[in-house]
Amino acid sequence: MKKRLYLELENCIGCRSCLAACTQCGGHEERNRNYVYDVNPLVNRQTMPLMCLHCVNPACARSCPAQAIQIHETGAVLSALVEKCIGCQNCTIACPYGIPKFDTEQNLMYKCDLCIDRTKDGIPPMCASVCPTNTLQWLTDEEIENKKQHNLDNGKWVTSMPYLEGETNVKISLPGILQGVTKLF
Amino acid sequence: MPQTAIIKQKKERSINNAFASHYAKSMFLTVSALILLSFIGTRMFTHIDLNLYGYMVGTIVFIGGFFYRFIAWGERPPTKIFIKKGLKLLFRPTTAKTSVDHLAIYNFIWNRGIYRWTQHILIGWGCILSCFVTFPLVFGWMYFTMEENGYYTVVALGMNILHVKADGVLAFFFYNALNFTAVMVIIGVCMALYRRLKNMQARAEQKFMYDFLPLYLLLLVAITGLLLTFMNIFLHGQGQPIMSLIHQYAVIVTLIYLPFGKLAHIPFRPLSVFVKNYREHYAKRSMKECKVCSESFVSTEQSNDVREVLGTNDIHFDMEDGFNLAELCLPCRRKYRISRFSGIATHEIKVKETNQNAKG
């Protein structure tokens, strides 16, 4: 059963377990590839994680002159192939979410590969497997369908239901905390 | 109307129209150049080493595949821009240094680890030096003659350039050059194989066909090559004719495979020199400032080029707020994304992003 990463953004408590777990994934060479942001830092403590959303038509791969960013059969947009990346940083400029990181010393881009050594065998990615608040979940399409949908089509809140700038393999939702909906875990 | 007629006429006279495609033209010019150089090098085809003619045919097939791959690759919009602009900037003063850094001593691999750098320099230079020896021999650009005075004459492109004592030091290095490079490649490949077996990072992602096959091919070439010397010296040439065919087969298969697998990074890597020039040159000319925080983050030229490339793919990131996502620096772009999710303008709050790097 094909599963995908599903984010319920407001569940995030800012513990940064996902960052720490990311460093421990095979092939990540102990550097994390995701972000956690304070939403309104001078006012409250709400945080939200931001990771690669694995676009169906990824701008990073389209802008790569060396074909270094490959798309896996599971839909994951992989990190740059180390022998191919020529260090032009086109991908960092193309990405609509500012995800790819660049190492100047190694002349190499690296980004979330959805822990491909795990997810290709159906094991959840490191970030989802450690998230203590169910912000990051690893679900089938059916399970995502069954999540209570919120009417978010008000121009203020945007999620990937249906789409962001383009279709993404990672799905994003808001459980409604910001909208004042009480959430029962 | 008359103007378009003139343009049309001029176009028809262009030499490019003599060829069906880019590919056909490049192939024609290269094979012609090879034949011409061999004609000169072999003193009008009088000194061809027919032992090596299999390699000659193999090389021409390789060039066919190589151009096919290279031209298909060069036609991709982002690649085309870098090749075009990189060629214009080729004569910058820093080109020589960047080329040595990227193509000869692999500085960036040193920064990825000394072990990987050592294996790469052994494999890379082992292969490059071998090519410097074998290709001139195959096409007759270089050959040796010997008169009955104990001296070899080295003939390069038809000219006698060197007399060396047949049992001298220099001659020893000439005879054994390929043995030395074979040992380099074998050590390098073994280091690479050991890393691929032991390193957990590598094991997570590697595939047999993509990562191991090229290593085994190089190992096969190097070992069968060394065996030739072994058979000559220790077995008095026994089995040598068969082994030379196996070696030839291994070399030709590796050559033909080269542009299509992992080894394709060899011909593609010089583009990184173009890219470095491009980034340095256009960064000096003008930098793009972030629409939100006004920090410069990329050259205006590259920003426009990327937008153009995405445009050809029909990807546009024009926001309802009246700007394009490419106008934001990366931290602001991430914060803007958060703001789109939450409805709070995170990117406009003047707090720097913190605590984003976990120590692994």
Side-chain angles (χ1 to χ4, degrees):
Chain A
M1 180 64 75
K2 188 187 149 102
K3 293 193 172 190
R4 30 172 114 244
L5 189 61
Y6 170 81
L7 278 70
E8 282 189 357
L9 287 173
E10 304 138 286
N11 292 0
C12 180
I13 53 169
C15 68
R16 287 170 170 80
S17 297
C18 50
L19 267 56
C22 185
T23 65
Q24 297 304 309
C25 184
H28 286 198
E29 310 213 308
E30 306 191 348
R31 292 184 297 191
N32 65 295
R33 298 152 178 223
N34 42 8
Y35 308 85
V36 174
Y37 277 97
D38 292 304
V39 174
N40 199 357
L42 303 176
V43 177
N44 59 35
R45 307 293 300 271
Q46 178 68 54
T47 53
M48 283 184 182
L50 185 65
M51 23 271 291
C52 176
L53 302 182
H54 297 275
C55 306
V56 172
N57 184 16
C60 56
R62 296 275 172 236
S63 70
C64 177
Q67 295 174 315
I69 304 172
Q70 308 259 315
I71 300 161
H72 195 260
E73 59 203 14
T74 58
V77 182
L78 300 181
S79 188
L81 290 172
V82 291
E83 81 280 2
K84 277 194 183 167
C85 177
I86 53 171
C88 70
Q89 301 180 42
N90 264 4
C91 49
T92 61
I93 298 151
C95 175
Y97 315 122
I99 300 297
K101 295 185 170 192
F102 189 76
D103 186 321
T104 326
E105 296 288 299
Q106 299 186 7
N107 203 30
L108 178 67
M109 179 281 270
Y110 59 104
K111 67 175 278 296
C112 168
D113 55 359
L114 210 62
C115 298
I116 195 63
D117 57 317
R118 298 165 63 87
T119 51
K120 72 170 192 287
D121 298 324
I123 306 167
M126 291 299 272
C127 52
S129 63
V130 299
C131 181
T133 57
N134 270 351
T135 310
L136 303 154
Q137 305 178 35
W138 184 244
L139 303 177
T140 60
D141 280 338
E142 200 182 330
E143 285 169 314
I144 293 174
E145 276 295 308
N146 291 340
K147 290 271 173 188
K148 218 169 125 195
Q149 296 283 318
H150 295 275
N151 182 17
L152 295 161
D153 194 18
N154 60 2
K156 190 174 177 190
W157 293 293
V158 181
T159 68
S160 65
M161 316 283 188
Y163 295 137
L164 293 169
E165 272 62 45
E167 193 180 347
T168 54
N169 277 305
V170 175
K171 299 294 178 195
I172 287 192
S173 184
L174 299 163
I177 297 171
L178 284 173
Q179 296 94 314
V181 176
T182 310
K183 176 153 177 156
L184 297 172
F185 284 104
Chain B
M1 271 307 277
Q3 246 188 345
T4 49
I6 290 166
I7 292 168
K8 219 177 172 190
Q9 236 182 6
K10 265 191 183 166
K11 256 191 167 175
E12 272 168 9
R13 275 193 210 143
S14 161
I15 186 73
N16 289 332
N17 290 330
F19 299 100
S21 63
H22 255 325
Y23 175 78
K25 185 182 160 198
S26 309
M27 209 49 211
F28 176 80
L29 291 178
T30 311
V31 174
S32 303
L34 278 180
I35 292 173
L36 184 69
L37 279 175
S38 301
F39 179 75
I40 298 169
T42 55
R43 293 189 178 161
M44 296 192 244
F45 299 130
T46 55
H47 289 81
I48 300 175
D49 189 348
L50 282 177
N51 247 343
L52 302 177
Y53 100 99
Y55 293 102
M56 204 183 279
V57 177
T59 307
I60 289 175
V61 176
F62 154 71
I63 291 171
F66 171 70
F67 277 139
Y68 167 75
R69 176 83 168 91
F70 195 89
I71 288 169
W73 174 69
E75 280 297 315
R76 306 180 76 246
T79 323
K80 204 171 186 172
I81 287 175
F82 281 128
I83 292 179
K84 234 179 178 174
K85 296 189 175 168
L87 281 175
K88 273 189 211 149
L89 299 172
L90 196 57
F91 296 106
R92 295 188 84 231
T94 51
T95 305
K97 188 187 175 297
T98 315
S99 304
V100 171
D101 273 357
H102 286 199
L103 308 177
I105 58 173
Y106 316 130
N107 247 347
F108 57 101
I109 304 183
W110 177 272
N111 294 329
R112 290 176 198 176
I114 296 169
Y115 185 91
R116 289 171 76 176
W117 178 82
T118 313
Q119 73 181 38
H120 199 279
I121 222 145
L122 285 171
I123 300 175
W125 276 101
C127 293
I128 293 171
L129 291 175
S130 308
C131 288
F132 280 160
V133 174
T134 49
F135 280 102
L137 289 177
V138 166
F139 290 102
W141 304 335
M142 182 178 77
Y143 60 89
F144 302 89
T145 56
M146 191 180 186
E147 284 151 46
E148 286 177 23
N149 56 4
Y151 276 86
Y152 263 121
T153 308
V154 182
V155 186
L157 284 179
M159 293 174 285
N160 299 347
I161 53 159
L162 204 61
H163 292 279
V164 290
K165 230 177 154 198
D167 50 0
V169 180
L170 212 54
F172 173 81
F173 280 104
F174 285 163
Y175 309 147
N176 288 297
L178 287 178
N179 292 333
F180 292 127
T181 56
V183 171
M184 280 170 76
V185 171
I186 290 173
I187 296 173
V189 168
C190 288
M191 285 176 77
L193 285 173
Y194 182 79
R195 190 183 85 90
R196 293 216 161 269
L197 293 179
K198 291 287 174 189
N199 184 298
M200 289 297 178
Q201 306 285 344
R203 279 170 62 170
E205 290 175 321
Q206 68 201 8
K207 287 186 209 121
F208 178 81
M209 291 308 263
Y210 191 74
D211 298 296
F212 280 94
L213 185 68
L215 288 175
Y216 287 136
L217 280 174
L218 289 178
L219 200 60
L220 182 66
V221 169
I223 287 179
T224 52
L226 261 191
L227 276 178
L228 286 175
T229 307
F230 175 83
M231 287 170 156
N232 281 340
I233 294 177
F234 299 102
L235 305 179
H236 306 291
Q238 212 173 15
Q240 207 261 7
I242 299 225
M243 190 49 70
S244 78
L245 279 182
I246 298 175
H247 180 66
Q248 194 169 44
Y249 181 75
V251 169
I252 292 172
V253 166
T254 310
L255 258 188
I256 294 174
Y257 166 71
L258 185 140
F260 300 103
K262 193 172 191 178
L263 299 174
H265 74 275
I266 304 164
F268 294 169
R269 180 49 71 171
L271 192 67
S272 75
V273 178
F274 285 20
V275 160
K276 186 96 190 283
N277 277 348
Y278 167 96
R279 283 184 60 87
E280 285 173 355
H281 176 82
Y282 289 111
K284 261 188 207 156
R285 188 179 275 184
S286 113
M287 289 295 278
K288 184 146 189 96
E289 282 180 3
C290 171
K291 184 127 184 160
V292 175
C293 68
S294 332
E295 256 185 56
S296 317
F297 65 102
V298 68
S299 66
T300 318
E301 185 83 8
Q302 191 173 7
S303 177
N304 294 338
D305 283 346
V306 171
R307 271 173 79 169
E308 188 192 315
V309 166
L310 292 182
T312 60
N313 284 292
D314 209 19
I315 300 177
H316 306 278
F317 295 129
D318 294 313
M319 295 291 109
E320 292 160 14
D321 307 351
F323 60 87
N324 189 289
L325 279 179
E327 292 177 84
L328 303 188
C329 73
L330 305 188
C332 287
R333 219 180 286 181
R334 293 191 282 264
K335 288 184 194 165
Y336 175 71
R337 180 54 37 195
I338 295 291
S339 84
R340 296 277 287 161
F341 291 140
S342 65
I344 296 157
T346 311
H347 56 296
E348 281 166 7
I349 302 167
K350 294 222 178 313
V351 174
K352 281 210 165 164
E353 58 174 4
T354 49
N355 208 357
Q356 295 301 340
N357 291 303
K359 294 274 181 297

